[in-house]
Amino acid sequence: MLHLVNKSPFDGCSLDTAAAIMKGGDELLLIEDGVYGAMKNGKGAALLDGLKVSVLGPDLAARGIPEDRLVDGVSVIDYAGFVDLVEANDKVQSWL
Amino acid sequence: MLHLVNKSPFDGCSLDTAAAIMKGGDELLLIEDGVYGAMKNGKGAALLDGLKVSVLGPDLAARGIPEDRLVDGVSVIDYAGFVDLVEANDKVQSWL
Amino acid sequence: MKLTIQVNEGPYQHQSSDSAYHFTRAALEKGHEIFRVFFYHDGVNNGTRLTTPPQDDRNIVDRWSELAREHDLDMVVCVAAAQRRGIVDEGEAERNGKDATNIADGFRISGLGQLVEGAINSDRLVVFGD
Amino acid sequence: MKLTIQVNEGPYQHQSSDSAYHFTRAALEKGHEIFRVFFYHDGVNNGTRLTTPPQDDRNIVDRWSELAREHDLDMVVCVAAAQRRGIVDEGEAERNGKDATNIADGFRISGLGQLVEGAINSDRLVVFGD
Amino acid sequence: MSETKKFMYINRKAPYGTIYAWESLEVVLIGAAFEQDVSLAFLDDGVFQLTKGQDTKGIGMKNFSPTYAALGDYEVTKIYVEKESLEERGLTIDDLQHLVWEDEDEDWAEKDSISLISRSELADVLATQDVLFNF
Amino acid sequence: MSETKKFMYINRKAPYGTIYAWESLEVVLIGAAFEQDVSLAFLDDGVFQLTKGQDTKGIGMKNFSPTYAALGDYEVTKIYVEKESLEERGLTIDDLQHLVWEDEDEDWAEKDSISLISRSELADVLATQDVLFNF
């Protein structure tokens, strides 16, 4: 199962709930303002511990976040990688 | 100064920021989904301590929250009362 | 008191337009003056005459049009925001080569300066949004 | 894989429609099949031909229309949501007594069943919203 | 279209402040005709959708909360409410509408539609679904 | 229209995910012509609007961040950034664009536009304003 979060960790509880609901084998993809959740020293960092996390590179670049500011172990992917994640997981949960 | 909050205390940080910015003499009005912030035992209750708080009655009724579920000291007003609050304060800050 | 009201969201999706309407009506009933209602961002979508809401629900656009007619309200739709969202009057249709208009009764399309002017000329600016 | 894409927000206000577009394009480039793109809630506002975005910005509506033309996409605007927001084709104009239409090329108005059918017939449903 | 899928509608937003709750319910009602294996989840602010005593006269909007009570007639009988979300909001199950359905196989016995489940149980239920609807 | 008011534009939302940041800036640019006493506040997710190095090619949206650097030319020279909001987000002032203006009264000396202030100082600044714009 692929979990999509598109909100900043300060805007609602989508990242909190997604992280709490995720099971072993699930994956998390941060898109749009959700990419702020993967920042080192940010509010989201603590939530990502032990999770398999990707962020959408184009959204990261738009917001001026260099990749070295991300929590260790986070993958940066493009829209094609997003499609691959959707294919690799049996379903998608958008935490709107 | 009148502070308007229209979001649930679980949806973003509007109530947190409004409560932190409010100064003596300022007033807080909770409207729309913001009315959940005035519920006893809810997440917003702790933030309201010492503040002058009103909630919009029509929004409260729509959401099925009885007045006895509100934090003590909160006033319930209607749209006419909303207008009066805007008039009584020198300006309005909408924490969108 | 003299008021300018700003509406940032379109009809139905968010409660903002409803809240702004009830507030505006209450202010008028109390004898206050509405200098202007300014529709910005998706708020411009309140100004289309093409909606057909369910019969058991309120008609948000018609309600604004009627309030404007009764109280001679100045309801301004921001031109830049309207161009992005597709709210069009005769002038805009001609300028931008559009084959239809959708602006509702009582709304006019004008610039962002109208919001700033509203803020300058009113005692209070009250913003309704998301 | 066969995909249905759901778009819940209108153009420009939220990034949802942009993200859905880039995702859909990437899926097509990889050879996946898009069973349907379903526009719901304010997402129906992506289907108006009356927008005129600034020349230095992307044209969200045209972009969808072109993608549909190139790939023969089925882009469905929910009728109930469209009636609330004022997205109208010839049939809707006639039924609801409207004097104009605003539907853009490549979009068709149909029922919510189209979303459910999309979910049944696709390997994945991917939702973009607020 | 002969295949039956497990459909879950995820409700995480409060009613009236935005239309998502109501338009989500419209999908559930239409979707019922497609005879899939349907369930609903209410978590986060979505639990507020089910509160008793909603009265929208003062805001001039349609009160759609009675529709939840009709879900049983549409054979939508599995409604999961997340315990943690209720508790964080100072709510109990008694603050919510009592939703029931009639079991044809047991002489139309009235049964509860709502199951109060923990976050980790909800995670298990989500894992078994085929399609998740979000609004 | 001869009266001068203290106008403050409040920015609390991240860029690109929603259009509020950009359309707010459009009001600031238009509003500059009205010769009011203008200032901008950036707090909560609004501080993300000012980050350096924004590159929107990959999302196909217009990069409006260079406009902040032009605000000095519009005589918009008072930009308040809330310290607590930066810190909560793991940011420092060095992550933000360096915004300056030229002081006509001091032989066009270049001065910083951004003042980093605490939440309680921001509360004081808000209190002195006549009109608060929110988007």
Side-chain angles (χ1 to χ4, degrees), chain B residues 8-90:
Chain B
S8 150
F10 294 88
D11 181 12
C13 53
S14 294
L15 184 58
D16 304 78
T17 305
I21 292 274
M22 279 179 70
K23 298 171 79 82
D26 283 6
E27 296 197 66
L28 173 64
L29 172 61
L30 303 173
I31 68 169
E32 303 177 356
D33 290 344
V35 300
Y36 296 118
M39 287 180 75
K40 229 183 288 191
N41 309 323
K43 188 184 172 192
L47 297 167
L48 304 187
D49 206 39
L51 303 179
K52 211 171 155 193
V53 184
S54 304
V55 305
L56 198 58
D59 278 323
L60 203 61
R63 287 155 183 84
I65 311 170
E67 296 191 15
D68 62 10
R69 298 294 286 272
L70 301 183
V71 168
D72 289 341
V74 168
S75 310
V76 178
I77 64 171
D78 59 9
Y79 289 102
F82 184 176
V83 174
D84 291 342
L85 274 182
V86 168
E87 190 175 22
N89 287 273
D90 69 322

Side-chain angles (χ1 to χ4, degrees), chain A residues 4-60:
Chain A
L4 272 187
V5 170
N6 74 331
K7 293 281 201 326
S8 150
F10 295 89
D11 182 12
C13 53
S14 294
L15 184 58
D16 304 78
T17 305
I21 291 274
M22 279 178 71
K23 298 172 80 79
D26 283 6
E27 297 198 64
L28 173 64
L29 172 60
L30 304 173
I31 69 168
E32 303 177 357
D33 290 345
V35 299
Y36 296 119
M39 288 180 76
K40 228 182 286 190
N41 309 321
K43 187 185 172 193
L47 297 169
L48 304 187
D49 207 37
L51 302 180
K52 212 171 154 194
V53 184
S54 305
V55 305
L56 197 58
D59 278 324
L60 203 61

